[in-house]
């Protein structure tokens, strides 16, 4: 849950990370100036974003493969293995 607090309250609460859990908008004269969150929250956010990117990349590969099959550009398993072996040489 995101909350809002003044700069003064944020400075006074810097020693207690529980205060910033879920993210906090720090305001100056009622205007949001800064967003503070705990390292654990940030790592979870980054991990979630990476999983989302991987899912999108996988979906894109599936759509490209589907398009190739529709256009009859597919390969047999034997042809695929042959090309992989040639590429290793």
């Amino acid at each position: 849950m995101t909350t809002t607090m003044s700069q003064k309250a944020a400075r006074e609460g810097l020693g207690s990370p529980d205060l910033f859990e879920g993210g906090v908008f720090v305001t100056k004269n009622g205007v949001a100036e800064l967003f503070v969150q705990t390292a654990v929250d940030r790592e979870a956010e980054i991990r979630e974003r990476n999983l989302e990117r991987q899912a999108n990349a996988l979906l894109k590969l599936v759509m490209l493969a589907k398009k190739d099959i529709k256009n009859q550009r597919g390969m047999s398993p034997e042809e695929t293995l042959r090309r992989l072996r040639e590429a290793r040489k």
Side-chain angles (χ1 to χ4, degrees), residues 37-55:
Q37 65 186 134
T38 62
V40 172
D41 289 343
R42 179 66 178 154
E43 288 169 0
E45 181 181 310
I46 290 170
R47 199 170 27 256
E48 185 177 322
R49 187 179 308 139
N50 286 338
L51 287 173
E52 187 176 320
R53 285 179 181 167
Q54 289 174 358

Side-chain angles (χ1 to χ4, degrees), residues 77-89:
E78 294 80 17
E79 175 68 13
T80 304
L81 286 174
R82 184 187 66 76
R83 290 178 116 186
L84 284 171
R85 287 182 183 127
E86 286 177 1
R88 289 185 189 163
K89 292 180 182 180

Side-chain angles (χ1 to χ4, degrees), residues 3 12-13 18-19 23 27 29 46 55 60-61 68 74 79 81 84:
T3 58
E12 291 170 356
D18 294 342
L19 186 64
T27 63
N29 298 326
I46 290 170
K60 185 174 181 177
L61 287 173
D68 282 347
E79 175 68 13
L81 286 174
L84 284 171

Side-chain angles (χ1 to χ4, degrees), residues 3-77:
T3 58
T4 304
M5 69 173 53
S6 69
Q7 285 182 346
K8 181 180 178 185
R11 272 192 308 272
E12 291 170 356
L14 281 177
S16 56
D18 294 342
L19 186 64
F20 299 99
E21 204 158 309
V24 175
F25 284 102
V26 179
T27 63
K28 180 178 180 182
N29 298 326
V31 178
E33 293 283 324
L34 182 67
F35 184 75
V36 180
Q37 65 186 134
T38 62
V40 172
D41 289 343
R42 179 66 178 154
E43 288 169 0
E45 181 181 310
I46 290 170
R47 199 170 27 256
E48 185 177 322
R49 187 179 308 139
N50 286 338
L51 287 173
E52 187 176 320
R53 285 179 181 167
Q54 289 174 358
N56 286 338
L58 184 58
L59 179 61
K60 185 174 181 177
L61 287 173
V62 168
M63 296 306 293
L64 288 171
K66 187 175 178 181
K67 183 178 175 182
D68 282 347
I69 291 169
K70 182 179 175 184
N71 294 331
Q72 296 178 348
R73 290 190 300 201
M75 286 186 273
S76 69

